[in-house]
Amino acid sequence: MSVKKILITDDHPLLLIGLKGIIENIKGYQLVGAATNGTEALKMASETQPDICFIDLELPGVNGMDVLKQIKKNDKNCKVAILTSHKEEELLISAIESGADGYLLKDFAHTEIEKCLTQFVKSEPYYSSQLRSYLNPAKKKDPAIDKLSRTEKKVLKLISQDKTSKEIGSILFISPKTVDNHRSNIIKKLDITPTTNSLFSWASKNEAHL
């Protein structure tokens, strides 16, 4: 396995030192940058072309959410995880909709970073176990689900598992273009604002009813 390059960003020096120590002890990964503000993070990302970034939400200059969006815009293949102390549901959902591949809590960074990297290797997202109830809450079925056809529900179920259109097409024996058409129809039927990862966010929260 080729060595993966990691960039970390946090404005707290002691935490940054701790994160360096965690990453440097995980085989197969190389720390290529440690930024202390959003502007520096974007500069380092441009210069080092990391495979994975761990970004704090609260940063001087450019905030973490905007850093996330810009990095994903510049390199859609770069995995970006938010590493924060904030446990609010709206921030988690906002991060996912902005393109975040992961959302980790600093309180559990020592164990969660390695778990997150393991998920990224499998091309799967990672969200702190403390927050997953926000993505799959025990709540009543959204009546809008009944507007979907059986195939659309299958597509949406696979979207909740973060499958690509190509992967969904292979599983359901339909073309990626047909999957994209289903995505568009689902968005219209559910009246979802078509932003990055908005369909994944909706599907994740309602997976239990699909």
Side-chain angles (χ1 to χ4, degrees):
M1 182 180 73
S2 60
V3 175
K4 298 288 186 182
K5 297 183 293 183
I6 294 180
L7 169 67
I8 56 177
T9 305
D10 198 287
D11 63 334
H12 294 87
L14 288 178
L15 184 58
L16 210 53
I17 291 171
L19 293 176
K20 287 180 183 179
I22 293 171
I23 291 167
E24 288 170 350
N25 282 307
I26 302 175
K27 291 182 180 180
Y29 297 91
Q30 176 191 2
L31 185 65
V32 295
T36 57
N37 60 66
T39 303
E40 188 179 24
L42 291 173
K43 183 174 183 291
M44 285 187 179
S46 177
E47 292 173 347
T48 63
Q49 297 293 299
D51 300 294
I52 300 162
C53 295
F54 290 100
I55 310 291
D56 188 12
L57 276 180
E58 293 185 274
L59 294 171
V62 185
N63 68 53
M65 205 72 80
D66 287 336
V67 171
L68 157 67
K69 293 175 184 176
Q70 192 60 49
I71 289 177
K72 295 297 285 188
K73 181 180 179 181
N74 294 340
D75 183 2
K76 64 179 181 179
N77 294 318
C78 180
K79 299 289 187 182
V80 183
I82 295 297
L83 181 60
T84 181
S85 298
H86 290 285
K87 302 177 183 179
E88 294 87 348
E89 178 180 2
E90 59 268 24
L91 287 176
L92 170 63
I93 301 304
S94 179
I96 293 173
E97 292 178 346
S98 295
D101 302 285
Y103 196 101
L104 293 67
L105 296 177
K106 290 181 180 180
D107 292 348
F108 310 97
H110 190 270
T111 56
E112 290 208 325
I113 283 180
E114 192 159 3
K115 290 178 182 178
C116 178
L117 293 174
T118 299
Q119 289 297 99
F120 284 177
V121 167
K122 297 186 288 186
S123 296
E124 295 179 0
Y126 180 83
Y127 307 112
S128 173
S129 58
Q130 307 294 315
L131 306 177
R132 284 176 201 156
S133 62
Y134 293 150
L135 299 177
N136 292 288
K139 63 178 184 179
K140 293 182 179 179
K141 175 182 173 183
D142 189 321
I145 291 176
D146 292 332
K147 298 178 182 178
L148 305 179
S149 68
R150 181 178 298 179
T151 301
E152 287 168 344
K153 289 179 182 177
K154 289 180 181 178
V155 169
L156 197 55
K157 179 79 170 179
L158 292 168
I159 289 173
S160 74
Q161 298 167 14
D162 207 26
K163 301 290 186 184
T164 65
S165 290
K166 184 177 180 180
E167 290 170 333
I168 293 172
S170 178
I171 293 168
L172 298 181
F173 301 103
I174 55 179
S175 71
K177 185 177 180 181
T178 299
V179 175
D180 287 336
N181 288 337
H182 282 309
R183 284 178 181 268
S184 296
N185 290 335
I186 292 168
I187 286 172
K188 289 176 183 176
K189 287 183 178 181
L190 299 179
D191 195 24
I192 298 172
T193 303
T195 57
T196 304
N197 279 350
S198 59
L199 192 54
F200 169 73
S201 176
W202 195 98
S204 295
K205 288 192 293 182
N206 294 276
E207 182 181 10
H209 301 294
L210 295 175

